[in-house]
Amino acid sequence: LAQSLDALIRVEIPVLASSSVMIVAVMTMLATMLIYFITRRFFDQLFVKEEISQTERLGEYTTQVSRSLRLNEILGALVDVIRDTLNVKKIYICIRESDGSYPATYSSSPLDDRNFSMDQGHPMVAWLRSHDTCLLLRDFRRTVEYKSMWEDEKHRLDTMKIECVLPLKDNNDLVGIVLLGRKEKKGKFQWGYTVEDISFLNSLESVSSIAVKNSRLYEKAYLEARTDELTGLLNRKYFYEVLEENYEKCRKTSLTLVIFNVDDFKLYNQLYGNNEGDKALVHIAQIIKGTVGSNGYCARYSGKEFAAILPDYDIYSAQNLAENISRQIQNMNRNSSDTYLKTLTVSCGICAVPYAASSLNELVSNADRAVYHVKRSGKNGILVYSDGIIGRRDTDEGLAKKHKSMYSEYAPTIYALTAAIDAKDHYTFQHSKNVAYYAEAIARAIGTSDEYREILKEAALLHDIGKIGIPENILNKEGKLTDEEYDAMKRHVESSVEIIRHLPNMDYVIPAVLGHHERFDGKGYPRRIAGKDIPLAARILCVADSFDAMVSKRCYKPSMSVEFAVGELEKGAGSQFDPELVPLFIEMIGSGAVVPVIDEGLMKE
């Protein structure tokens, strides 16, 4: 064009022929500037404006997620900013769970199929862990990781029309995965993911990953603050919040509260240890939660108490549910391969508004009172609260008299059983009375209650009752027992427990009877438990039983001196005997607080 313009000037305007080169140069410069200006405006409108828009949206998104700790709010904002900025319609977000899997948690439409998950060993997950940028599926298809995927996994990505994958990483921690479908058409053009898009997504990733991780930490802390650590049910504090919320919601209908109190749980812990007790509580919690389901709320009301909040339940429905739960708890150990000497039961109290309470405090108080009434009536029962069912409470003095009369009631049975064994083995009856004397003295010295000493005394009288089932030729054998005979002799512990189990309300003596042949070092029998895991009553009986066995005359041995028996107790302190009880017992013998029973006539009452 410059050459043609120069020729035109020279022919048509001869007067300017000498300046034609300068004129052409100036005109060319002006034309170039005009073309540059127009082109710049065009590209500014096309690209820079879009970049400015992305920057503004990124700033708005950052501000929005920094103000929220709710995961769904953060994921919703992430979907919105990607959809509006990049014009992507299909978006799926997978958030890592505690087991390491990545289930689909959120999507751009509530109608999307989110019934899929990627486990921690998924090839795409492995690739994203080792890279810090977006993954374009067209590039991923050429990798070894893609070829190692299952065909159904590849088919799902194709069906969902996924074209880009955005990792949500906080340092090297992959907290989530965003699956992006194809970009929609803009006018007549179909745009793929550009370098600018990838840069924008990477900027979103750095903000989103931190926001998601913080929200998960918050939700975890929120959940832990409201749930019981052992059972996973609502804790006591949150139980009252939920109860109050449902009380307000159910003002025009009904709200039922059911409280389950585990019977004799302290005894269960003594028999099987705290670990087994915790397992039992977890099992009970699962039974209650599984039975109530989505119809109500379950809580651990206290250490051995559980509660079920049942909105819109009437009394009859709540009673049927409580009976179902009670029956399951009672049967939960029956199919176990282990032998349980004590099955668990629950005392259950039910109260409902507006039928038997007019306020929230009355609802809880009346349910508690119903539980207490079941406890006093023999446990293992269900009671619906109504006016007049609860009598007056006994005073502490009244309860003490009640306990004393209960032991007095069973005393004839106990002495009848010990007399029965006396007919077979004269040593056992007197020995049991001696052990009761020593054990009660030790218990008094360490400051136990009157009730505890009464239980210990009954346990001492019954601890060898199982010998009634051992053949007389073994009981009265003068020589050393064979291994088979010794095994038969050791079985008297389980036999004693089997007999005691059938005595009404006497199961509290079982821990002492069952453990009186356990050793402090764990080498005893029948359970081989050690140290403080052995119930205190059993450790006391062990000392008293061993001392009397040494100072008493038997058909297979002469009586030993008190000094010799004391020396043996000292040698066994810490291995066979409780090292704290032995010095105390020896001191009591030395001071005269305990008089060794060498002859029946010296027995102190």
Side-chain angles (χ1 to χ4, degrees), residues 263-512:
D263 298 324
D264 302 325
F265 189 65
K266 182 177 180 181
L267 171 62
Y268 190 89
N269 273 334
Q270 289 177 332
L271 284 173
Y272 309 115
N274 291 332
N275 287 337
E276 283 296 320
D278 288 346
K279 290 179 183 178
L281 291 177
V282 171
H283 197 167
I284 292 172
Q286 291 171 345
I287 290 173
I288 296 174
K289 187 175 182 180
T291 306
V292 173
S294 59
N295 298 319
Y297 305 88
C298 306
R300 188 179 181 188
Y301 184 57
S302 66
K304 62 168 187 170
E305 277 189 308
F306 299 87
I309 303 170
L310 305 173
D312 303 322
Y313 262 64
D314 57 32
I315 292 292
Y316 179 75
S317 300
Q319 189 171 1
N320 287 339
L321 182 140
E323 289 173 355
N324 185 5
I325 291 172
S326 179
R327 186 165 51 251
Q328 291 182 66
I329 292 172
Q330 195 166 1
N331 293 333
M332 70 182 189
N333 289 334
R334 290 189 176 177
N335 297 326
S336 173
S337 58
D338 298 327
T339 301
Y340 284 86
L341 304 173
K342 173 70 179 174
T343 57
L344 287 176
T345 58
V346 289
S347 297
C348 176
I350 302 173
C351 186
V353 287
Y355 310 112
S358 58
S359 68
L360 196 61
N361 289 337
E362 275 191 14
L363 178 67
V364 177
S365 176
N366 291 347
D368 275 330
R369 293 174 69 189
V371 170
Y372 178 74
H373 192 77
V374 175
K375 288 284 189 183
R376 293 194 59 198
S377 302
K379 308 172 186 176
N380 189 23
I382 298 171
L383 184 63
V384 177
Y385 180 88
S386 61
D387 291 339
I389 65 162
I390 305 297
R392 65 180 179 84
R393 290 178 180 268
D394 284 334
T395 62
D396 291 341
E397 182 180 355
L399 288 174
K401 290 180 179 178
K402 180 181 177 181
H403 286 304
K404 185 174 181 180
S405 64
M406 181 186 71
Y407 292 122
S408 300
E409 180 182 347
Y410 297 118
T413 303
I414 294 170
Y415 281 100
L417 288 170
T418 51
I421 188 62
D422 184 50
K424 193 170 187 178
D425 180 16
H426 299 291
Y427 162 77
T428 300
F429 184 43
Q430 182 58 46
H431 167 69
S432 296
K433 291 198 293 183
N434 294 349
V435 171
Y437 163 62
Y438 296 134
E440 191 176 14
I442 295 173
R444 184 180 291 106
I446 60 178
T448 60
S449 65
D450 292 342
E451 182 183 354
Y452 186 90
R453 292 198 298 273
E454 195 67 42
I455 292 173
L456 184 60
K457 178 182 177 182
E458 310 300 339
L461 291 173
L462 292 170
H463 78 285
D464 276 343
I465 194 65
K467 288 183 177 179
I468 198 170
I470 298 176
E472 292 184 27
N473 64 313
I474 297 178
L475 283 175
N476 300 314
K477 184 176 179 179
E478 295 187 4
K480 183 178 179 181
L481 298 177
T482 65
D483 291 342
E484 292 79 8
E485 290 170 338
Y486 183 61
D487 288 338
M489 180 66 79
K490 288 197 296 184
R491 285 196 291 272
H492 82 277
V493 175
E494 288 92 339
S495 299
S496 297
V497 172
E498 283 299 319
I499 295 171
I500 295 169
R501 286 177 63 186
H502 298 287
L503 293 176
N505 293 332
M506 289 302 296
D507 51 5
Y508 271 98
V509 306
I510 290 178

Side-chain angles (χ1 to χ4, degrees), residues 549-570:
M550 286 187 283
V551 299
S552 299
K553 181 180 179 181
R554 288 293 285 145
C555 60
Y556 55 83
K557 73 168 190 68
S559 62
M560 302 173 184
S561 66
V562 173
E563 291 75 15
F564 178 85
V566 166
E568 291 299 304
L569 289 180
E570 289 177 331

